[in-house]
Amino acid sequence: MALTPDGLIAQAMQDPVNAALAKRLPGLGLKQGFLTAGCLFQATWNHTAGRPPGWGVKDYDVFYFDDSDLSWEAEDAVIRRVHEAVADLGATVEVKNQARVHLWYEQRFKAPYPRLRSARDGIDRYLIACTRVGIDLADGSLYAPDGLDDLAAGILRMNPLLPMPEMFNAKARDYQSRWPWLRIATCASSSTP
Protein backbone atom coordinates (compact mmCIF):
# COMPACT_ATOMS: atom_id res chain seq x y z
CA MET A 1 0.00 0.00 0.00
CA ALA A 2 1.35 3.43 -0.97
CA LEU A 3 2.22 5.98 1.68
CA THR A 4 -0.17 8.93 1.52
CA PRO A 5 0.15 12.38 3.12
CA ASP A 6 -2.57 11.42 5.62
CA GLY A 7 -0.77 8.14 6.32
CA LEU A 8 2.55 9.85 7.03
CA ILE A 9 0.87 12.40 9.29
CA ALA A 10 -0.96 9.60 11.14
CA GLN A 11 2.30 7.69 11.67
CA ALA A 12 4.06 10.84 12.90
CA MET A 13 1.22 11.74 15.27
CA GLN A 14 1.58 8.37 17.00
CA ASP A 15 4.65 9.94 18.60
CA PRO A 16 3.13 11.83 21.55
CA VAL A 17 5.71 14.63 21.23
CA ASN A 18 4.75 15.26 17.59
CA ALA A 19 1.07 15.21 18.55
CA ALA A 20 1.64 17.73 21.34
CA LEU A 21 3.73 20.00 19.10
CA ALA A 22 1.12 19.89 16.34
CA LYS A 23 -1.50 20.94 18.89
CA ARG A 24 0.49 23.66 20.71
CA LEU A 25 2.64 25.31 18.05
CA PRO A 26 -0.15 26.77 15.87
CA GLY A 27 -1.19 29.00 18.78
CA LEU A 28 2.24 30.64 18.89
CA GLY A 29 1.72 32.43 15.57
CA LEU A 30 5.00 31.40 13.94
CA LYS A 31 5.15 32.90 10.45
CA GLN A 32 5.19 30.05 7.90
CA GLY A 33 5.62 27.56 10.75
CA PHE A 34 6.44 23.90 10.02
CA LEU A 35 7.11 20.80 12.07
CA THR A 36 9.72 19.07 9.96
CA ALA A 37 12.64 16.70 9.49
CA GLY A 38 13.45 13.49 11.36
CA CYS A 39 10.52 13.57 13.75
CA LEU A 40 8.31 13.01 10.69
CA PHE A 41 10.19 10.79 8.24
CA GLN A 42 11.69 8.61 10.97
CA ALA A 43 8.16 7.76 12.13
CA THR A 44 7.59 6.15 8.73
CA TRP A 45 10.84 4.19 8.87
CA ASN A 46 10.07 3.15 12.45
CA HIS A 47 6.62 1.98 11.38
CA THR A 48 8.20 -0.17 8.67
CA ALA A 49 10.77 -1.54 11.15
CA GLY A 50 8.14 -2.26 13.82
CA ARG A 51 9.62 0.26 16.25
CA PRO A 52 7.87 2.95 18.31
CA PRO A 53 7.22 6.13 16.24
CA GLY A 54 9.68 8.26 18.24
CA TRP A 55 12.51 5.73 18.30
CA GLY A 56 15.83 7.35 17.39
CA VAL A 57 14.44 10.89 17.15
CA LYS A 58 17.09 13.11 18.73
CA ASP A 59 15.21 16.38 18.26
CA TYR A 60 12.04 17.89 16.87
CA ASP A 61 12.63 20.54 14.22
CA VAL A 62 10.45 23.62 13.89
CA PHE A 63 11.03 25.99 10.98
CA TYR A 64 9.52 29.41 10.53
CA PHE A 65 10.27 32.34 8.25
CA ASP A 66 10.37 35.93 9.44
CA ASP A 67 12.55 38.32 7.47
CA SER A 68 11.32 41.45 9.29
CA ASP A 69 14.19 41.20 11.80
CA LEU A 70 17.24 39.08 11.01
CA SER A 71 18.93 39.59 14.34
CA TRP A 72 19.88 36.67 16.57
CA GLU A 73 17.96 38.38 19.37
CA ALA A 74 14.69 38.20 17.42
CA GLU A 75 15.19 34.51 16.63
CA ASP A 76 16.20 33.78 20.21
CA ALA A 77 12.98 35.40 21.47
CA VAL A 78 10.97 33.00 19.28
CA ILE A 79 13.07 30.04 20.42
CA ARG A 80 12.44 30.95 24.08
CA ARG A 81 8.69 31.34 23.46
CA VAL A 82 8.49 27.90 21.84
CA HIS A 83 10.60 26.29 24.56
CA GLU A 84 8.35 27.74 27.27
CA ALA A 85 5.28 26.32 25.50
CA VAL A 86 6.74 22.80 25.23
CA ALA A 87 9.07 22.54 28.24
CA ASP A 88 6.95 19.84 29.89
CA LEU A 89 7.38 17.47 26.92
CA GLY A 90 10.93 16.53 27.90
CA ALA A 91 12.08 16.69 24.26
CA THR A 92 14.69 18.74 22.46
CA VAL A 93 12.91 21.14 20.11
CA GLU A 94 15.15 22.93 17.58
CA VAL A 95 13.65 26.18 16.28
CA LYS A 96 15.19 27.94 13.28
CA ASN A 97 14.22 31.07 11.38
CA GLN A 98 14.88 30.11 7.76
CA ALA A 99 15.26 33.79 6.86
CA ARG A 100 18.56 33.77 8.82
CA VAL A 101 20.20 30.51 7.70
CA HIS A 102 22.33 32.17 5.02
CA LEU A 103 23.95 34.29 7.76
CA TRP A 104 25.61 31.32 9.51
CA TYR A 105 25.48 28.28 7.21
CA GLU A 106 28.71 28.84 5.29
CA GLN A 107 30.75 29.37 8.44
CA ARG A 108 29.35 26.23 10.04
CA PHE A 109 29.29 23.88 7.02
CA LYS A 110 32.00 25.39 4.78
CA ALA A 111 29.63 25.68 1.82
CA PRO A 112 27.71 28.63 0.38
CA TYR A 113 23.99 28.89 1.05
CA PRO A 114 21.51 31.18 -0.68
CA ARG A 115 19.20 33.60 1.04
CA LEU A 116 15.89 31.77 1.37
CA ARG A 117 12.46 33.21 0.56
CA SER A 118 10.26 30.92 2.67
CA ALA A 119 10.26 28.18 5.29
CA ARG A 120 9.54 25.71 2.48
CA ASP A 121 12.83 26.77 0.85
CA GLY A 122 14.58 25.49 3.97
CA ILE A 123 12.83 22.13 3.76
CA ASP A 124 13.67 22.01 0.05
CA ARG A 125 17.38 22.12 0.89
CA TYR A 126 17.68 18.98 3.04
CA LEU A 127 20.58 16.77 1.93
CA ILE A 128 18.41 13.71 1.26
CA ALA A 129 15.50 14.17 -1.12
CA CYS A 130 12.93 11.86 0.51
CA THR A 131 13.39 13.58 3.88
CA ARG A 132 12.03 16.84 2.51
CA VAL A 133 8.76 16.75 4.42
CA GLY A 134 7.01 19.16 6.76
CA ILE A 135 3.64 19.65 8.39
CA ASP A 136 2.32 23.19 7.92
CA LEU A 137 1.34 24.42 11.37
CA ALA A 138 -1.31 26.77 9.95
CA ASP A 139 -3.47 24.11 8.32
CA GLY A 140 -1.97 20.70 9.18
CA SER A 141 -1.21 19.86 5.54
CA LEU A 142 1.86 17.92 4.48
CA TYR A 143 4.53 19.54 2.33
CA ALA A 144 6.48 16.87 0.42
CA PRO A 145 7.99 18.21 -2.82
CA ASP A 146 9.41 14.80 -3.79
CA GLY A 147 6.26 12.85 -3.04
CA LEU A 148 6.39 9.91 -0.64
CA ASP A 149 7.38 6.91 -2.76
CA ASP A 150 11.12 7.04 -1.98
CA LEU A 151 10.43 7.68 1.70
CA ALA A 152 8.15 4.64 1.89
CA ALA A 153 10.61 2.49 -0.08
CA GLY A 154 13.59 3.65 1.97
CA ILE A 155 15.51 5.06 -1.00
CA LEU A 156 17.97 7.78 -0.08
CA ARG A 157 18.90 10.09 -2.97
CA MET A 158 21.04 13.20 -2.89
CA ASN A 159 18.98 16.35 -3.19
CA PRO A 160 20.01 18.12 -6.43
CA LEU A 161 19.40 21.49 -4.75
CA LEU A 162 22.14 20.72 -2.23
CA PRO A 163 24.74 18.57 -4.03
CA MET A 164 27.15 17.87 -1.19
CA PRO A 165 28.23 14.23 -1.71
CA GLU A 166 30.37 13.89 1.42
CA MET A 167 27.69 15.26 3.74
CA PHE A 168 25.00 13.27 1.91
CA ASN A 169 26.95 10.02 2.26
CA ALA A 170 27.66 10.59 5.95
CA LYS A 171 24.00 11.32 6.71
CA ALA A 172 22.71 8.48 4.52
CA ARG A 173 25.09 5.98 6.15
CA ASP A 174 24.02 7.20 9.59
CA TYR A 175 20.38 6.56 8.71
CA GLN A 176 21.26 3.18 7.20
CA SER A 177 23.08 2.17 10.40
CA ARG A 178 19.78 2.63 12.30
CA TRP A 179 17.44 1.33 9.58
CA PRO A 180 19.58 -1.24 7.70
CA TRP A 181 16.96 -1.83 5.00
CA LEU A 182 17.38 1.72 3.64
CA ARG A 183 19.08 1.89 0.23
CA ILE A 184 21.48 4.63 -0.78
CA ALA A 185 21.13 5.64 -4.42
CA THR A 186 24.41 6.71 -5.95
CA CYS A 187 24.54 9.82 -8.10
CA ALA A 188 24.62 7.67 -11.24
CA SER A 189 21.49 5.80 -10.14
CA SER A 190 19.62 8.73 -8.63
CA SER A 191 16.79 8.54 -11.15
CA THR A 192 15.98 4.88 -10.58
CA PRO A 193 15.70 2.78 -7.42
Side-chain angles (χ1 to χ4, degrees):
M1 178 182 285
L3 181 63
T4 65
D6 287 344
L8 186 147
I9 291 170
Q11 289 170 356
M13 291 305 121
Q14 290 178 17
D15 178 344
V17 176
N18 278 336
L21 291 172
K23 184 175 182 179
R24 295 179 193 184
L25 293 175
L28 298 180
L30 302 177
K31 294 180 180 179
Q32 298 182 35
F34 279 87
L35 181 61
T36 187
C39 65
L40 302 182
F41 64 80
Q42 290 179 23
T44 293
W45 295 342
N46 285 334
H47 176 79
T48 301
R51 294 180 176 144
W55 182 89
V57 175
K58 67 176 184 164
D59 57 35
Y60 295 77
D61 290 287
V62 176
F63 282 7
Y64 72 100
F65 186 90
D66 185 353
D67 59 358
S68 66
D69 184 344
L70 297 182
S71 69
W72 163 247
E73 292 76 18
E75 183 175 18
D76 188 52
V78 173
I79 291 168
R80 290 174 188 269
R81 198 170 76 217
V82 169
H83 287 175
E84 286 175 17
V86 302
D88 64 305
L89 298 179
T92 300
V93 178
E94 295 285 336
V95 181
K96 290 203 176 35
N97 182 1
Q98 295 303 292
R100 293 190 71 249
V101 176
H102 69 283
L103 298 175
W104 53 262
Y105 189 94
E106 186 166 2
Q107 182 178 0
R108 183 171 174 194
F109 293 109
K110 311 296 183 233
Y113 199 84
R115 187 172 186 152
L116 303 179
R117 298 178 314 267
S118 70
R120 286 182 175 195
D121 280 354
I123 294 169
D124 288 346
R125 301 193 80 75
Y126 289 163
L127 286 166
I128 299 176
C130 73
T131 67
R132 300 185 327 155
V133 294
I135 296 176
D136 189 321
L137 296 174
D139 63 13
S141 65
L142 183 72
Y143 177 66
D146 295 294
L148 300 174
D149 291 346
D150 278 2
L151 178 61
I155 300 170
L156 309 178
R157 300 179 202 278
M158 187 167 35
N159 177 0
L161 290 178
L162 199 64
M164 300 174 73
E166 288 182 20
M167 288 178 67
F168 164 80
N169 283 324
K171 187 167 280 285
R173 291 191 195 299
D174 176 57
Y175 290 151
Q176 196 177 49
S177 73
R178 291 181 274 161
W179 296 275
W181 56 273
L182 297 177
R183 293 181 294 152
I184 300 171
T186 62
C187 294
S189 66
S190 63
S191 62
T192 58

